[in-house]
């Protein structure tokens, strides 16, 4: 069957002949429920079909009969003829820049009636009282067919249920499907479709002839109507759910249920309004005037400061509840009140200080007003903006509280560095072990053809000590430790090989005293402070002293500014307290700073002496590096000594057993 006579294809053929894009036609097919395979076949047939001459001649004749306005709007009239709703066509005309007067004329013409489309997709007649071609009254029928209204169908007992379903927002197509499932007569379904715009009027009046609706190709379904207006008298709370797709709901419980059981009457709607009405959250105990003020305060808070920052500041300000207001808090900072404020609170307060832009915003907002109604963060910013150079005063107060802690920590570090440096330089056992290690290394290098050296660097110390022998087990430090332990006491040897009873007793005594041998190499016992000093860097001590000097300069600068700015004293009543306490602090702290500076210079000289002791450059070598190498070297010596002690105990035990065996045999 050709596309001209096939009602399933005629509609899409007409759309393509009017210039509708293929993508739009394909979308229309998909809305009509056509499968992808069928769509491809239909499109291939329509695109390959040549345009008939009679159709072209008919279009030319129709264009010649139209007036200029109708000619310019023929494109949109064709869109109406294929079933496109009026509102999208009007929107398209506005997008194309059509004259508003022409749009209004087009609206009046096509809103008075709907065109009926036959099986070939052509317009037969208009059911309105005016002929769409010449604009004259249509007198082909003496009496127009009566079109039912929604109110009339709502009064029909057979259709009341379905009209209510459509009234609560159920798509008309879903209601039609429900009617077909429940066996509603076709005439009633047809009236329902006409009322909801799913099909045009059943009466065509072109040429005074009436066509049977069964011979027409049904129009494609229109898009679902927008949801009805709110049926409640108050705004209701929202339910955030995810709706299922319409095509998925057709065979689910949502389409098979009895909608009549779930209908809502007016009494139930009123109950739901009282239960789930979206009422404004306000306390009933507070008058409406106060509630409006609170709402304005929240809006001002959002406008002045970023909401997240304002909330964080408000939470952090809770630690200053002991002050009646933020003005008193600022005055306590200026007066250096150590009773209610400590270093930790001042550090937290520093993080809450406003920026220059925020202070400018607060001042502009409160210009000429009292600043009432602001949030806690904005109120705090307003109090800070009233005090000149508040950040500098806060920083000076914080330094006075932290000064003692900084000085104590710096003194402890300097004392520990000095003590550890002296212990290392004065350790004779360490010097003996290193010289013995150097002698063994020189012997090995001379045997390998390398010259003799007078010393080695720190980074070579551990490499030399861990050098393994040909057996793959014994290291250089193992040999050095064993040699020094064996030579510890030549006058009282730790063991004997005679078989006498006195020798056996001597062997047992020596076996018990093996652990006490090798004290000549226990250099770590002479430097107990090295382990803690290894965590201290002289550069950190210099940074702490610079922090002290910076704090002194800031306090001195603040004193000079407040002394010269006489007018600022009238703005803040505690400026005099700030000047007095800052001057008293400087007088006491200057002597301490001088002592710390002298101590730092002395420790620097001891660290230089430590670097010279190991023949290292003081400008590149740090004391912490030296102490770290010594800690690792001491571990190697301890392990070597323990290994030698185990071997010595085994040798003494075997010697004792041999002596006992000789006594038994003798």
């Amino acid at each position: 069957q050709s596309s001209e006579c096939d009602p399933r294809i005629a509609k899409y053929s007409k759309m393509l002949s009017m210039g509708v894009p293929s993508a739009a036609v394909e979308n229309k097919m998909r809305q009509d429920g056509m499968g992808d395979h069928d769509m491809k076949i239909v499109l291939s047939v329509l695109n390959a079909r040549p345009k008939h001459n009679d159709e072209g001649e008919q279009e030319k004749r129709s264009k010649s009969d139209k007036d200029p306005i109708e000619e310019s709007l023929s494109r949109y009239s064709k869109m109406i003829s294929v079933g496109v709703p009026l509102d999208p066509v009007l929107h398209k005309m506005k997008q194309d820049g059509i004259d508003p007067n022409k749009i209004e004329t087009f609206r009046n013409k096509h809103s008075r009636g709907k065109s009926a489309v036959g099986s070939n997709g052509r317009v037969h007649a208009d059911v309105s009282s005016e002929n769409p071609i010449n604009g004259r009254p249509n007198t082909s029928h003496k009496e127009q067919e009566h079109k039912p209204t929604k109110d009339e169908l709502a009064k029909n007992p057979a259709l009341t249920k379905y009209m209510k379903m459509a009234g609560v927002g159920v798509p008309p197509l879903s209601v039609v499907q429900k009617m077909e499932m429940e066996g509603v007569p076709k005439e009633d379904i047809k009236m329902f479709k006409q009322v909801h715009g799913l099909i045009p009027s059943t009466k065509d009046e072109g040429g005074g002839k009436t066509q049977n609706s069964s011979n027409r190709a049904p129009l494609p379904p229109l898009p679902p109507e927008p949801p009805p207006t709110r049926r409640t008298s108050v705004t209701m709370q929202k339910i955030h759910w995810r709706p299922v797709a319409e095509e998925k709901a057709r065979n689910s419980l949502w389409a098979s249920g009895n909608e009549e059981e779930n209908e809502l009457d007016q009494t139930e709607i009123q109950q739901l309004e009282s239960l789930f009405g979206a009422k404004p959250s306000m306390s009933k105990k507070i008058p409406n005037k106060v509630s409006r003020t609170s709402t304005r305060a929240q809006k001002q808070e959002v406008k002045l400061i970023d909401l997240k920052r304002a909330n964080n500041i408000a939470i952090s300000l809770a630690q200053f509840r002991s002050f009646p207001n933020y003005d008193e808090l600022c005055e306590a900072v200026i007066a250096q009140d150590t009773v209610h404020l400590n270093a930790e609170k001042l550090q937290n307060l520093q993080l809450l200080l406003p920026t220059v832009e925020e202070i400018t915003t607060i001042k502009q907002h409160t210009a000429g007003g009292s600043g009432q109604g602001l949030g806690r963060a904005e109120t705090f910013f307003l109090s800070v903006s009233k005090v000149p150079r508040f950040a500098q005063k806060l920083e000076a107060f914080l330094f006075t509280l932290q000064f003692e802690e900084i000085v104590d920590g710096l003194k402890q570090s300097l004392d520990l560095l000095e003590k550890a440096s002296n212990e290392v330089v004065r350790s004779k056992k360490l010097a003996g072990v290193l010289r013995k290690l150097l002698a063994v290394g020189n012997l090995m290098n001379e045997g390998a053809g390398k010259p003799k050296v007078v010393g080695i660097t720190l980074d070579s110390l551990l490499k030399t000590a861990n050098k393994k022998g040909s057996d793959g087990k014994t290291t250089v430090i193992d040999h050095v430790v064993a040699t020094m332990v064996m030579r510890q006491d030549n006058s009282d040897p730790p063991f004997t090989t005679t078989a006498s009873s006195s020798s056996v007793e001597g062997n047992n005594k020596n076996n018990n005293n093996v652990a006490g041998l090798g004290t000549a190499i226990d250099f770590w016992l002479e430097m107990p402070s090295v382990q803690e000093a290894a965590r201290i860097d002289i550069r950190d001590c210099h940074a702490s002293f610079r922090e002290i000097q910076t704090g002194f300069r800031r306090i001195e600068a603040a004193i000079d500014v407040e002394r010269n700015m006489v007018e600022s004293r009238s703005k803040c009543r505690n400026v005099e307290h700030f000047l007095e306490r800052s001057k008293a602090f400087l007088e006491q702290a200057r002597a301490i700073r001088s002592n710390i500076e002298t101590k730092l210079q002395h420790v620097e000289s001891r660290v230089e002496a430590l670097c010279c002791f190991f023949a290292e450059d003081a400008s590149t070598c740090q004391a912490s590096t030296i102490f770290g190498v010594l800690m690792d070297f001491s571990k190697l010596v301890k392990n070597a000594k323990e290994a030698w002690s185990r071997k010595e105990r085994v040798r003494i035990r075997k010697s004792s057993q041999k002596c006992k065996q000789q006594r038994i045999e003798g």
Side-chain angles (χ1 to χ4, degrees):
Q1 191 177 4
S2 63
S3 61
E4 288 79 356
C5 59
D6 190 350
R8 296 174 300 175
I9 303 178
K11 173 174 56 177
Y12 312 115
S13 175
K14 186 67 175 179
M15 294 176 65
L16 289 174
S17 64
M18 290 192 309
V20 179
S22 300
V25 177
E26 183 179 353
N27 188 29
K28 186 65 177 176
M29 293 179 179
R30 188 175 289 106
Q31 290 181 355
D32 293 345
M34 185 177 293
D36 294 339
H37 180 69
D38 295 339
M39 282 192 296
K40 292 181 180 179
I41 296 176
V42 171
L43 288 176
S44 62
V45 172
L46 294 179
N47 292 331
R49 181 178 60 84
K51 190 172 183 180
H52 296 286
N53 295 329
D54 56 349
E55 291 183 359
E57 294 176 358
Q58 185 177 357
E59 290 180 1
K60 292 180 181 179
R61 288 195 300 270
S62 62
K63 291 182 180 179
S64 61
D65 295 338
K66 294 181 180 179
D67 57 6
I69 297 179
E70 183 67 22
E71 181 70 20
S72 62
L73 302 180
S74 59
R75 171 187 176 187
Y76 309 104
S77 299
K78 291 180 180 179
M79 295 175 65
I80 292 292
S81 65
V82 298
V84 179
L86 179 60
D87 290 339
V89 176
L90 296 177
H91 183 68
K92 179 63 176 175
M93 296 173 70
K94 292 179 182 179
Q95 287 184 341
D96 295 343
I98 303 300
D99 186 11
N101 295 329
K102 294 183 179 180
I103 296 177
E104 187 63 25
T105 303
F106 187 88
R107 180 199 299 273
N108 296 333
K109 175 181 178 181
H110 292 277
S111 62
R112 287 195 294 264
K114 295 184 179 179
S115 299
V117 182
S119 60
N120 58 356
R122 302 180 185 276
V123 178
H124 298 290
D126 197 310
V127 298
S128 63
S129 61
E130 190 174 278
N131 194 304
I133 299 178
N134 52 22
R136 299 176 181 176
N138 193 343
T139 58
S140 60
H141 291 276
K142 297 181 180 179
E143 185 177 348
Q144 296 291 335
E145 181 186 6
H146 174 68
K147 179 180 178 181
T149 62
K150 291 185 178 180
D151 294 336
E152 294 176 353
L153 293 186
K155 296 178 182 179
N156 188 346
L159 300 178
T160 302
K161 167 185 174 181
Y162 307 106
M163 293 299 294
K164 287 184 178 181
M165 292 174 60
V168 297
V170 179
L173 289 177
S174 300
V175 179
V176 170
Q177 185 180 9
K178 180 70 174 178
M179 296 171 70
E180 293 174 351
M181 293 174 59
E182 295 184 355
V184 177
K186 294 183 179 180
E187 293 298 330
D188 293 343
I189 296 177
K190 185 187 301 183
M191 288 190 295
F192 182 89
K193 290 182 178 181
Q194 292 177 0
V195 169
H196 291 86
L198 300 181
I199 60 174
S201 176
T202 58
K203 195 77 173 176
D204 285 336
E205 300 181 0
K209 297 181 180 180
T210 303
Q211 287 186 339
N212 192 349
S213 60
S214 60
N215 297 329
R216 304 178 194 149
L219 288 177
L222 296 177
E225 292 185 352
T229 57
R230 178 163 52 95
R231 295 184 297 149
T232 58
S233 59
V234 298
T235 304
M236 304 294 289
Q237 300 179 16
K238 293 182 179 179
I239 298 180
H240 301 281
W241 57 20
R242 295 179 58 189
V244 298
E246 183 178 345
E247 58 272 11
K248 293 182 179 179
R250 292 176 181 174
N251 298 324
S252 66
L253 64 93
W254 309 113
S256 60
N258 188 359
E259 297 290 341
E260 190 173 5
E261 297 178 356
N262 299 323
E263 293 179 1
L264 302 179
D265 54 14
Q266 190 62 28
T267 303
E268 186 175 358
I269 292 176
Q270 293 178 358
Q271 293 178 355
L272 292 174
E273 289 177 352
S274 62
L275 291 174
F276 302 103
K279 298 180 180 180
S281 62
M282 60 179 69
S283 178
K284 295 182 179 180
K285 299 181 180 179
I286 302 176
N288 294 334
K289 185 176 180 180
V290 178
S291 300
R292 289 194 296 268
T293 305
S294 176
T295 304
R296 287 197 301 269
Q298 293 178 358
K299 293 181 179 179
Q300 290 173 353
E301 182 178 356
V302 174
K303 291 180 180 179
L304 296 181
I305 304 174
D306 178 69
L307 182 59
K308 184 177 180 181
R309 173 167 165 77
N311 291 337
N312 293 336
I313 292 175
I315 294 172
S316 301
L317 288 173
Q319 59 187 308
F320 302 104
R321 294 173 182 171
S322 58
F323 297 95
N325 52 62
Y326 298 128
D327 291 336
E328 295 294 334
L329 171 61
C330 296
E331 294 294 339
V333 172
I334 299 171
Q336 298 186 359
D337 183 4
T338 57
V339 177
H340 299 92
L341 297 174
N342 52 29
E344 182 180 359
K345 289 184 177 181
L346 293 181
Q347 286 177 336
N348 295 334
L349 190 61
Q350 271 188 324
L351 302 176
L352 307 180
L353 293 181
T355 61
V356 178
E357 293 79 7
E358 291 171 340
I359 290 181
T360 303
T361 303
I362 294 294
K363 288 183 177 180
Q364 291 176 354
H365 181 77
T366 58
S370 59
Q372 296 181 354
L374 295 177
R376 285 195 290 175
E378 289 81 358
T379 305
F380 170 69
F381 286 179
L382 181 61
S383 300
V384 171
S385 64
K386 296 176 183 178
V387 181
R389 298 167 296 279
F390 178 79
Q392 289 79 356
K393 296 181 178 67
L394 174 61
E395 196 172 36
F397 184 24
L398 178 60
F399 176 73
T400 59
L401 297 180
Q402 293 178 335
F403 176 74
E404 184 177 356
E405 181 182 356
I406 296 174
V407 169
D408 291 343
L410 182 55
K411 281 184 177 180
Q412 293 178 2
S413 298
L414 293 177
D415 291 340
L416 193 57
L417 281 176
E418 181 183 8
K419 185 177 180 181
S421 299
N422 292 334
E423 290 174 354
V424 172
V425 173
R426 297 171 184 173
S427 177
K428 296 181 179 179
K429 293 182 179 180
L430 175 62
V433 174
L434 294 180
R435 293 191 187 101
K436 181 65 176 179
L437 183 68
L438 178 63
V440 174
N442 277 330
L443 178 64
M444 294 172 61
N445 283 337
E446 288 176 358
K450 290 187 177 181
K452 183 178 181 181
V453 297
V454 296
I456 57 176
T457 59
L458 284 174
D459 57 352
S460 302
L461 179 60
L462 300 179
K463 295 179 182 179
T464 304
N466 285 320
K467 181 66 177 179
K468 292 184 178 181
S470 56
D471 59 354
K473 297 180 180 180
T474 305
T475 61
V476 173
I477 195 63
D478 292 337
H479 172 78
V480 171
V481 169
T483 303
M484 296 186 68
V485 170
M486 293 297 295
R487 293 180 181 178
Q488 176 182 353
D489 192 359
N490 293 328
S491 61
D492 188 12
F495 62 90
T496 179
T497 57
T498 60
S500 63
S501 61
S502 59
S503 298
V504 174
E505 293 177 358
N507 287 337
N508 292 334
K509 182 177 180 180
N510 290 331
N511 188 24
N512 295 330
N513 294 333
V514 168
L517 297 177
T519 56
I521 62 173
D522 296 342
F523 59 86
W524 53 87
L525 300 177
E526 298 179 346
M527 49 183 72
S529 304
V530 170
Q531 184 174 0
E532 295 183 10
R535 296 191 292 266
I536 300 175
D537 196 333
I538 189 65
R539 292 172 293 187
D540 296 336
C541 297
H542 282 287
S544 299
F545 185 72
R546 285 194 299 270
E547 183 180 356
I548 294 175
Q549 290 179 319
T550 303
F552 269 81
R553 287 194 296 268
R554 289 175 178 172
I555 294 179
E556 291 171 353
I559 292 175
D560 293 339
V561 172
E562 297 300 330
R563 184 186 300 160
N564 296 331
M565 301 292 292
V566 180
E567 67 278 5
S568 63
R569 301 180 185 180
S570 60
K571 297 179 181 179
C572 186
R573 63 177 183 270
N574 289 321
V575 172
E576 293 293 341
H577 296 283
F578 173 77
L579 292 175
E580 292 177 1
R581 297 192 179 186
S582 298
K583 290 178 182 178
F585 168 77
L586 290 180
E587 291 177 359
Q588 297 177 357
R590 283 193 179 100
I592 300 176
R593 182 184 64 175
S594 179
N595 294 335
I596 289 293
E597 186 175 6
T598 303
K599 181 71 174 178
L600 181 59
Q601 294 175 355
H602 176 69
V603 172
E604 284 181 342
S605 63
R606 299 310 306 159
V607 172
E608 291 179 0
L610 177 65
C611 294
C612 293
F613 179 75
F614 289 97
E616 297 287 345
D617 187 4
S619 61
T620 58
C621 184
Q622 301 295 328
S624 58
T625 304
I626 297 176
F627 296 148
V629 173
L630 291 179
M631 291 296 298
D632 295 337
F633 183 70
S634 64
K635 291 179 182 179
L636 295 177
V637 176
K638 288 179 183 179
N639 294 335
K641 181 182 177 181
E642 291 176 0
W644 178 87
S645 299
R646 289 193 297 269
K647 292 180 181 179
E648 187 65 15
R649 283 194 292 269
V650 172
R651 192 188 66 81
I652 292 176
R653 186 167 54 253
K654 290 182 179 181
S655 177
S656 177
Q657 292 176 356
K658 184 178 179 180
C659 292
K660 289 181 181 180
Q661 186 66 27
Q662 290 178 355
R663 288 179 59 188
I664 294 173
E665 292 177 355

